[in-house]
Each structure stands twice: as C-alpha cells, then as structure tokens.
Amino acid sequence: MTMPDIDIDDAAPSAASDTLGGPALKGIRIIDAATLFAGPLAATMMADYGADVIKVEHPGGDPARKYGARRGQVALWWKVLARNKRAVTLNLGTPEGQRIFREMAAEADVVVENFRPGTLERWGLGYDVLSAINPKLILVRVTGFGQFGPYSRRPGFGTLAEAMSGLAAITGEPGGPPLLPSFPLADTVAGLTASFAIMTALWARRRTGRGQVVDLAIIETMLAAMGAQVTSYDQTGKIPERTGNRSPNNAPRGVYRTADGKWVAMSTSAHSVAERVMRLIGREDLISKPWFATGESRARHADELDAAVGGWIGARPRDEVIAAFERAEAAIAPVYDVADVQDDPQYAALGSVVTVEDAELGSFKTHNVPFRLSDTPGAIRWGGLPRGAHNEEVFGALGIEPQELAQLTERGIV
C-alpha cells in the first residue's frame, strides 16, 4: 500500500494555502530519521514550507526531548525543532523496524539521517538498498566530519565544528581563552545548508530522474560560514586574533553603554557610515586623518575612535542615541534580550513571533518561518508532537493493522 499525502492546506488554510495549489513544497515527502539539531532542522525548514515530513524517533524518545528548557514534562526545544512534522516511533536496530523503514523509504522523496558512517549499511538501510527500492530517493547524511576521512567515525557535535572551523579561535577578548557560542550555532548553519542541499538535489532530480546522496559535514559548513579566512591566510599568512567586540576590518565597531545603563551595537563597515558617525558626534576632525581612509587602518586606531564614540553615546539615553543615529543614517541597533525581541515594533510588523495552539501547552510563542514567499508562504501549523502521535496513520497506510501495531509496540519495535 502507498502512504497517503497529509493535507497540509487543511492544517492552516489561512496561513499556508494559496491560489497556486498549496504551499511551496506540497507533494514532497521527507523522512527525518536524524537526531538533535542539524539534520532535523533541515527537515523542519522543509516542513515549514509544506513538505510532508515524517519524524522517525526511537520508541524510547529522541534526545532533543531531553534537551534544554521544559515546562513541566514538555520539552520546549522539541516543540520548535519538531514543528510541522508527523511523529512516529520505530526501532531501526531491529529487523522488523528496518523492514518498515524500507517500506516508508519506498514512498519518500528524501531521507535525512545523522548516524555514524556505516550504521545504515549495518542495518541493511544503505543507499544501495534504499535506491534499489526507490531510485528517485535522496539520502541526506549529516555528520560532524563527513562520510570518509580519518575523523569520519568520531562522534560529531556542532561544538566541535565551532572549535575546528576557526570560530572559537577568534571569539573572546584579547589575551583571553577562546569562546564557544552558548547555542547550537554550527548545527544551525549546517541545518540551513542541508535544506539548500535538499532543494539542489531535488532540482537535479528533475533533470536526471534519479536521486543521490548528500554528504554534509558540519565542520565544512561552519568553515564556509567563516567567510574569507582561508583565502586571507593563504594570501597574507596572517592568523586572526581574538579582538573582543572589535573587528580587524573596520572601526568604530562594537557595543557601547548608554547613559541609562542599556547597550547599543554599532558597525561602520561602509566608509560613508563611518564619516556620518564622526559628523554626528562632532568629530569631523578625525575624518581628515590619513588613517581614517580605510576600515583596516581605522581598526588600528580603535582606541581613539571608541573613546570618541563611547563618550558621546555614554552621555545620552539609548532612545536618544538610536534616534540621532537614524537621522544621521548611521547603523546602530539596541542590544536585545529575548523579552525585548517580543516587544519590538519591527519584529511585530514582520510577524516574526507567532502564537501556536498546542494540546500540551495550550499555546506557545515561537519565531516564525524565516522568510516570506508572496504566493506560496510557509507557516508553523503545529508544534512538536508526543511520541508516536501518527503511528496509526503512517503505519496503517503501509498495511499494518491495529492488532499488529499493538504487538509491535509491545515488543518495542514501534
């Protein structure tokens, strides 16, 4: 039996339906068999724009259910990471679970996984097997270090990529230790990259008629996010040092405290903006200095520039500072915490925070989908669901009767 498509439009017709026949990715089915962040986030992005994503987790529960803040027994990270996905449980370490997974893959467009290299093959679920069943299948393999090489079988987390990419080495105060971000930055970069990889492979399939394997290493996506550091080192031999909130490429740049004890962040990446800031604070004399001509040379005089800018900002309350910078067409922003984000009028105008109805929490607020499509918009239709919420629906479509499903559940297979 084939698995029926879930009607995405019925879930939230006002947000996700349109005159062109549904959300952008309607008709794409993805099996998300990955854990924690990078792989699941890629599938989440696809689900946000209408793909039918089936989240497969071990009957004992996905690790993301035990990560981060909770309200009572409800894992809040799970609500966000598993949003818009149908939820099933399946033990892929058992022959029965593997058989069921192969049946699911036969009807899928994409499988996302992040097991150590060789694990799927050991389970009889390698791409050779899955593609023989479904030649159009795209297998997305998200790991810390990739599918080959001396580190490929090491456990891999985003933290390791943040360390190995050069990010931690340049983050922190001069003379201080390297600093790691306090949230899954590398996983987020990898997840967004993986969603692009999926779309690229789907487009290629339109030409070739065949699926393929996406091999995504988190260390590589984080390395790419570091911009021109490899090229700069190759051409100059210089290794960047930790500079705190300053930049070696421009100044003034950093965070500055206002008279009312709040903070603002400022950048002068464009030379014209640097000139506007100097005029605003009454230091036109600095513009005529020879070293003011380039961002790099200004960065070598950051102490002098920060003293001038910081003194001007420190004598005024935050709202006055921001208003003055806005009139001068200079770049500045308040330093927000999450409470500030929810009160900001620009975020409100964009609809960046939405309220989602939820059976377990009643409702919860979360960030909205990250971009707007004028004709086929995405939407958050529901939050992460309880374990096995769609077992009967998904497995029933494969021909598994309720009595057999109960036996599989009792045996720990689903």
Side-chain angles (χ1 to χ4, degrees):
M1 294 181 64
T2 60
M3 296 171 59
D5 289 322
I6 186 172
D7 195 337
I8 300 291
D9 291 339
D10 288 346
S14 63
S17 61
D18 59 272
T19 59
L20 300 180
L25 300 181
K26 183 177 181 179
I28 299 297
R29 172 167 290 147
I30 298 173
I31 300 174
D32 173 10
T35 57
L36 290 177
F37 304 114
L41 177 59
T44 299
M45 291 285 292
M46 306 294 286
D48 287 347
Y49 293 91
D52 175 20
V53 177
I54 302 173
K55 177 65 185 179
V56 176
E57 62 178 314
H58 190 276
D62 189 278
R65 292 187 183 273
K66 299 180 181 179
Y67 184 91
R70 310 178 73 82
R71 179 181 161 194
Q73 298 301 311
V74 180
L76 302 182
W77 266 86
W78 180 259
K79 285 295 174 187
V80 174
L81 189 64
R83 66 181 184 262
N84 292 338
K85 301 177 184 180
R86 293 198 279 172
V88 302
T89 53
L90 190 62
N91 187 345
L92 299 182
T94 65
E96 295 95 333
Q98 294 154 10
R99 174 185 59 80
I100 293 171
F101 189 85
R102 285 190 288 268
E103 293 182 19
M104 294 174 65
E107 302 292 334
D109 296 285
V110 181
V111 168
V112 182
E113 63 97 7
N114 70 335
F115 301 106
R116 291 194 199 185
T119 301
L120 283 189
E121 287 75 11
R122 189 173 70 251
W123 288 340
L125 300 174
Y127 191 66
D128 57 336
V129 174
L130 298 182
S131 62
I133 299 170
N134 180 0
K136 293 186 176 183
L137 183 70
I138 295 163
L139 177 61
V140 182
R141 316 195 77 167
V142 181
T143 57
F145 302 102
Q147 293 296 308
F148 56 90
Y151 303 162
S152 61
R153 296 188 64 82
R154 291 182 181 179
F157 294 97
T159 298
L160 309 187
E162 290 151 8
M164 292 180 62
S165 64
L167 172 67
I170 64 170
T171 306
E173 294 297 326
L179 292 180
L180 296 166
S182 60
F183 69 102
L185 174 61
D187 286 285
T188 300
V189 172
L192 295 174
T193 306
S195 65
F196 172 72
I198 292 171
M199 296 304 298
T200 303
L202 286 170
W203 182 259
R205 192 179 69 178
R206 294 183 59 172
R207 293 188 295 104
T208 67
R210 294 191 60 82
Q212 60 183 302
V213 176
V214 174
D215 176 8
L216 187 145
I218 300 176
I219 58 169
E220 288 187 301
T221 58
M222 197 63 226
L223 181 65
M226 298 299 294
Q229 71 163 2
V230 171
T231 303
S232 297
Y233 174 68
D234 174 67
Q235 295 297 307
T236 69
K238 295 180 179 179
I239 297 177
E241 298 178 350
R242 290 184 283 283
T243 58
N245 287 315
R246 289 179 174 176
S247 167
N249 302 310
N250 70 84
R253 187 259 198 189
V255 295
Y256 305 87
R257 192 168 188 171
T258 60
D260 50 355
K262 299 178 181 179
W263 294 87
V264 292
M266 185 188 67
S267 176
T268 56
S269 297
H271 184 76
S272 60
V273 173
E275 291 185 346
R276 291 172 197 158
V277 171
M278 293 304 107
R279 294 190 182 99
L280 171 64
I281 68 173
R283 293 301 306 271
E284 293 92 340
D285 59 299
L286 294 175
I287 298 175
S288 62
K289 300 287 186 181
W291 51 260
F292 198 85
T294 69
E296 187 176 3
S297 59
R298 290 199 310 273
R300 291 195 291 269
H301 291 79
D303 286 343
E304 183 176 356
L305 291 169
D306 275 347
V309 172
W312 189 91
I313 289 176
R316 293 161 175 81
R318 186 179 71 178
D319 290 348
E320 181 181 331
V321 170
I322 292 175
F325 268 71
E326 185 172 350
R327 288 192 299 271
E329 297 185 353
I332 200 167
V335 175
Y336 276 170
D337 60 26
V338 66
D340 296 322
V341 167
Q342 297 193 56
D343 293 333
D344 182 83
Q346 181 61 31
Y347 280 125
L350 295 174
S352 304
V353 176
V354 295
T355 299
V356 180
E357 299 301 317
D358 186 78
E360 293 180 295
L361 297 174
S363 67
F364 65 92
K365 289 185 177 180
T366 184
H367 60 272
N368 204 349
V369 295
F371 57 86
R372 284 162 291 282
L373 295 176
S374 60
D375 293 333
T376 56
I380 298 177
R381 301 175 298 277
W382 64 83
L385 298 171
R387 280 184 293 167
H390 288 96
N391 279 0
E392 291 186 10
E393 177 179 288
V394 171
F395 296 142
L398 296 175
I400 298 176
E401 299 294 336
Q403 183 178 0
E404 182 184 359
L405 183 61
Q407 294 173 348
L408 292 170
T409 302
E410 185 177 350
R411 294 165 56 199
I413 295 168
V414 302

